[in-house]
Amino acid sequence: MEFTHTFDNIAGYKEEKKILKNYSSLIKRSKELKSLGGKLQKGLMMIGPNGTGKTILAEAFIKASDSNIVEINYNDVNSDGDFGDYIKKKFLEASKLTPCILYIDEFDKLVGNKLNFFLESDVDRSRIFRNEMNKYNNVDGLFILVIANEEYGIDESLVRVGRLDRVLEINLPNEDERKEIVEYYLSNKKYEKNVDIDNLAILTNGFSGADIEAFINDALINAFVDGRKEISQKDISAVYYDRVFKNVNKEEKKSDDALRLIANHESGHAAVNLLLKPNTIELASILTRNEVQGFVSSAKSSKEAATYSETIKQIKILLGGKAAEEINGKDLLMGSNYDFKKCLALIQKLVRENGYLGLDYLHLRRCPEDAFPSGTADISERKRSLIEIEENKLLNKLYLETKNLLESNFGLVNLISEALIKHKVLNKAELLEIYKKYQSLINQ
């Protein structure tokens, strides 16, 4: 087996790498540790979702440990009948090659009896594996390293002191780690100066390292297909847009009046976003995707705290589309239902869960899925009615404030609307340029 990854060429995962480096150092110095009366832990399990970097971290760990390696491969076990003999053979082999790491990927699949309860099988894989761990427990220099996607299905007896002593969760990278990963995957590619790396780290919130690699590669492909050799911010926006919708754009010819109504609605969202939280806006579009006729996207740094004022701004951005339609006065679209649903959900979160209007309206839920659980008597009909009245008052108050904000800045709505009609999609840089132009006009 050839392992190419080292800790030095893995971006991010600062704390995880520190822990793994310590373990690899202990493996190399296990005799010295023993002379002091200590002993090396017997095993380590790395667990986390697909694509989070478990395998490359395991490779770096093995390489840094400078030990022999024996691999147990889930795909090498053809049947339950072969399982016992295969596991015994691998443990025996590893015990003769100490110092040695017994490495197992997809451990949850290998021993996950609970995951396969519906299969007809008399073989208790967990028991077989546990017996072999016990048999070789006193072999110096034998260390077991396993990787699993989820802990469910793994017998608890395997994850205890003397067996897999340490469980290390490998989670999705945070914003700082994503920035490191972005920089790493951009390092061997050409990209324009306008590519905002900090913003890309924000955009990829919830992405694994593998997802980020694919995202940047898709951006390069987008540039290449367009006849360019450098990634631009335009390519980043295009890939982000495709990732949001996950389906192709099927051009649908609309009348000029219909297009202007859609552009006006989306410009209302975008204008409020620019006026209240300019640095969070990402995209505005009037391209039809399935049922969606237009779209405005924003993204904020995960370093920012979730506050009441930020939530109020978010609600006003959602209300901006409907407000722009009313101010324009030509006609109203029948597509604000989604906006209002999201608004009500945010308002309920403020009022019922966080006591935004005071503790009289706070509702301590018994059921996490529903602020008003059906079939329970933990809230009276009168209180339920009072809460809903106050929430509606808050919604109307915020709508009027949004409408007043746009009435004072409708020139910005018009500038965005005209640009959308012309270009169909506007990215962050283009929207901020329009905002800058608007500010210079009103300051003349």
Side-chain angles (χ1 to χ4, degrees):
M1 284 169 287
E2 184 179 351
F3 297 105
T4 57
H5 288 94
T6 65
F7 288 123
D8 291 336
N9 68 18
I10 297 175
Y13 303 103
K14 182 180 178 181
E15 297 303 320
E16 291 87 346
K17 287 191 291 189
K18 183 179 178 181
I19 292 169
L20 291 171
K21 282 179 182 179
N22 286 339
Y23 267 90
S24 63
S25 177
L26 284 171
I27 288 174
K28 288 191 286 189
R29 301 173 63 194
S30 59
K31 289 182 179 179
E32 184 182 342
L33 178 65
K34 187 177 180 182
S35 70
L36 297 173
K39 62 179 181 179
L40 181 67
Q41 291 97 330
K42 302 307 295 184
L44 166 71
M45 177 165 74
M46 287 196 285
I47 192 162
N50 280 323
T52 49
K54 300 185 299 297
T55 302
I56 61 173
L57 285 168
E59 286 187 17
F61 172 78
I62 291 167
K63 201 170 180 67
S65 300
D66 195 25
S67 297
N68 293 312
I69 175 76
V70 170
E71 183 178 9
I72 291 179
N73 193 325
Y74 164 73
N75 295 314
D76 287 346
V77 184
N78 296 318
S79 68
D80 282 336
D82 298 334
F83 184 81
D85 290 339
Y86 177 76
I87 296 300
K88 289 175 184 177
K89 176 185 172 184
K90 290 293 183 177
F91 266 91
L92 179 62
E93 183 184 349
S95 69
K96 292 179 178 180
L97 292 172
T98 56
C100 182
I101 294 173
L102 185 61
Y103 172 53
I104 310 161
D105 200 353
E106 299 187 294
F107 188 64
D108 43 344
K109 290 184 180 179
L110 185 77
V111 300
N113 295 81
K114 293 178 187 176
L115 295 176
N116 300 308
F117 67 90
F118 52 87
L119 297 176
E120 291 185 11
S121 174
D122 296 325
V123 176
D124 186 342
R125 292 186 168 197
S126 294
R127 180 184 58 78
I128 292 170
F129 198 87
R130 183 174 61 248
N131 288 344
E132 293 306 303
M133 291 175 83
N134 291 341
K135 185 191 297 185
Y136 293 95
N137 188 50
N138 294 320
V139 175
D140 288 335
L142 176 59
F143 188 83
I144 303 171
L145 174 66
V146 308
I147 294 175
N149 290 331
E150 53 183 39
E151 205 163 348
Y152 176 78
I154 298 173
D155 196 298
E156 292 176 3
S157 67
L158 298 175
V159 189
R160 69 157 179 78
V161 176
R163 291 176 185 148
L164 296 172
D165 303 66
R166 177 68 189 266
V167 176
L168 180 61
E169 287 191 18
I170 310 297
N171 295 311
L172 293 170
N174 62 28
E175 192 173 314
D176 288 334
E177 290 171 328
R178 292 197 303 275
K179 183 179 178 182
E180 281 187 47
I181 295 168
V182 166
E183 289 173 332
Y184 176 77
Y185 285 119
L186 281 174
S187 63
N188 66 345
K189 298 172 182 65
K190 291 182 179 180
Y191 58 94
E192 295 179 3
K193 291 180 180 179
N194 70 347
V195 171
D196 189 336
I197 291 174
D198 289 320
N199 180 245
L200 188 46
I202 293 170
L203 271 185
T204 50
N205 185 24
F207 281 40
S208 68
D211 292 333
I212 293 171
E213 180 184 13
F215 188 103
I216 291 171
N217 188 63
D218 285 349
L220 179 61
I221 289 171
N222 196 77
F224 181 74
V225 170
D226 201 34
R228 292 175 286 109
K229 296 181 180 179
E230 292 183 329
I231 297 171
S232 70
Q233 192 64 36
K234 179 183 176 183
D235 300 311
I236 301 294
S237 297
V239 175
Y240 174 68
Y241 189 62
D242 286 338
R243 290 293 176 102
V244 168
F245 281 101
K246 299 176 184 174
N247 61 301
V248 297
N249 169 44
K250 295 187 177 181
E251 190 70 35
E252 185 176 301
K253 203 74 175 174
K254 286 186 169 59
S255 68
D256 290 344
D257 287 343
L259 204 60
R260 287 196 172 277
L261 284 173
I262 296 167
N264 182 68
H265 178 96
E266 301 307 332
S267 297
H269 289 305
V272 178
N273 200 149
L274 286 166
L275 290 164
L276 298 181
K277 301 168 66 177
N279 290 323
T280 66
I281 197 159
E282 293 298 336
L283 278 173
S285 167
I286 55 171
L287 286 178
T288 301
R289 295 277 182 130
N290 286 350
E291 300 290 320
V292 181
Q293 297 187 89
F295 176 75
V296 171
S297 171
S298 62
K300 72 168 188 174
S301 170
S302 55
K303 295 178 182 180
E304 293 180 28
T307 63
Y308 286 135
S309 60
E310 286 300 307
T311 306
I312 294 297
K313 288 176 183 178
Q314 194 177 346
I315 292 168
K316 287 182 177 181
I317 291 168
L318 287 164
L319 294 171
K322 185 71 171 177
E325 290 178 34
E326 283 204 11
I327 296 167
N328 195 354
K330 292 184 179 179
D331 203 350
L332 298 177
L333 286 170
M334 302 297 288
S336 296
N337 186 42
Y338 176 74
D339 296 336
F340 285 128
K341 277 185 177 179
K342 290 187 73 174
C343 284
L344 282 171
L346 289 171
I347 285 173
Q348 287 173 1
K349 195 174 184 69
L350 285 177
V351 176
R352 302 180 192 189
E353 296 180 32
N354 294 284
Y356 178 69
L357 296 178
L359 299 184
D360 287 345
Y361 304 108
L362 184 65
H363 178 58
L364 300 175
R365 301 177 299 164
R366 278 197 258 172
C367 173
E369 291 82 20
D370 189 356
F372 286 150
S374 59
T376 63
D378 60 347
I379 183 169
S380 68
E381 286 297 327
R382 181 176 177 277
K383 185 172 181 180
R384 186 195 305 258
S385 178
L386 284 172
I387 291 174
E388 289 176 347
I389 288 169
E390 292 304 316
E391 286 171 346
N392 284 332
K393 282 183 185 177
L394 177 58
L395 178 61
N396 280 283
K397 175 179 175 289
L398 295 178
Y399 182 70
L400 286 174
E401 289 177 6
T402 305
K403 196 173 174 182
N404 289 336
L405 178 67
L406 284 185
E407 282 177 334
S408 303
N409 295 278
F410 210 70
L412 177 58
V413 177
N414 288 330
L415 284 174
I416 299 168
S417 183
E418 290 303 320
L420 276 174
I421 289 168
K422 182 178 180 181
H423 300 290
K424 300 296 187 292
V425 178
L426 299 173
N427 62 32
K428 184 185 186 83
E430 291 164 336
L431 286 161
L432 288 174
E433 187 61 34
I434 291 170
Y435 185 45
K436 184 179 176 181
K437 179 182 176 182
Y438 171 71
Q439 287 179 313
S440 65
L441 286 173
I442 62 174
N443 289 329
Q444 285 179 356

